[in-house]
């Protein structure tokens, strides 16, 4: 898809005219924002890991190949880093 709009315009034809720009959307920052993106709810300082684990479990059941591929990449990367740290 080619975007024919001018790059200086705020809204595109496929975006609602009353939509809030991304730069003005309220998003939590820091650790709370990272946890919320991962699906872990934080309520007044208390972290609810059960919701995040449940979300990951349903994703893993639906996409086992992606999860195993990601785990394999982590193991290979950790092995390479370990091998690199033992080199003199």
């Amino acid at each position: 898809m080619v975007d024919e709009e001018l790059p200086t315009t705020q809204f595109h034809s496929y975006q609602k005219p009353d939509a809030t720009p991304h730069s003005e959307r309220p998003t939590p920052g820091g650790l709370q924002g990272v946890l919320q993106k991962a699906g872990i709810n934080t309520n007044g300082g208390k972290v609810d890991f059960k919701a995040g684990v449940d979300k990951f479990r349903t994703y893993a059941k639906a996409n086992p190949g992606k999860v195993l591929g990601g785990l394999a990449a982590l193991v290979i990367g950790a092995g390479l880093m370990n091998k690199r740290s033992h080199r003199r």
Side-chain angles (χ1 to χ4, degrees):
M1 181 167 127
V2 177
D3 190 2
E4 300 291 333
E5 297 287 327
L6 294 172
T8 57
T9 59
Q10 182 177 359
F11 296 104
H12 296 280
S13 57
Y14 51 85
Q15 190 176 18
K16 291 189 235 177
D18 60 340
T20 305
H22 188 270
S23 61
E24 296 176 9
R25 291 182 189 157
T27 55
L31 182 60
Q32 184 179 6
V34 172
L35 290 175
Q36 283 185 354
K37 286 181 183 177
I40 300 171
N41 298 328
T42 56
N43 298 332
K46 296 180 183 177
V47 180
D48 182 18
F49 285 106
K50 184 173 168 94
V53 171
D54 290 341
K55 185 176 181 181
F56 178 75
R57 186 176 291 134
T58 56
Y59 181 80
K61 285 180 182 178
N63 304 304
K66 289 182 181 180
V67 173
L68 288 175
L71 288 174
L74 284 173
V75 169
I76 291 170
L80 290 172
M81 289 175 62
N82 186 25
K83 188 175 185 179
R84 187 177 188 189
S85 67
H86 290 296
R87 204 180 335 161
R88 291 182 183 197

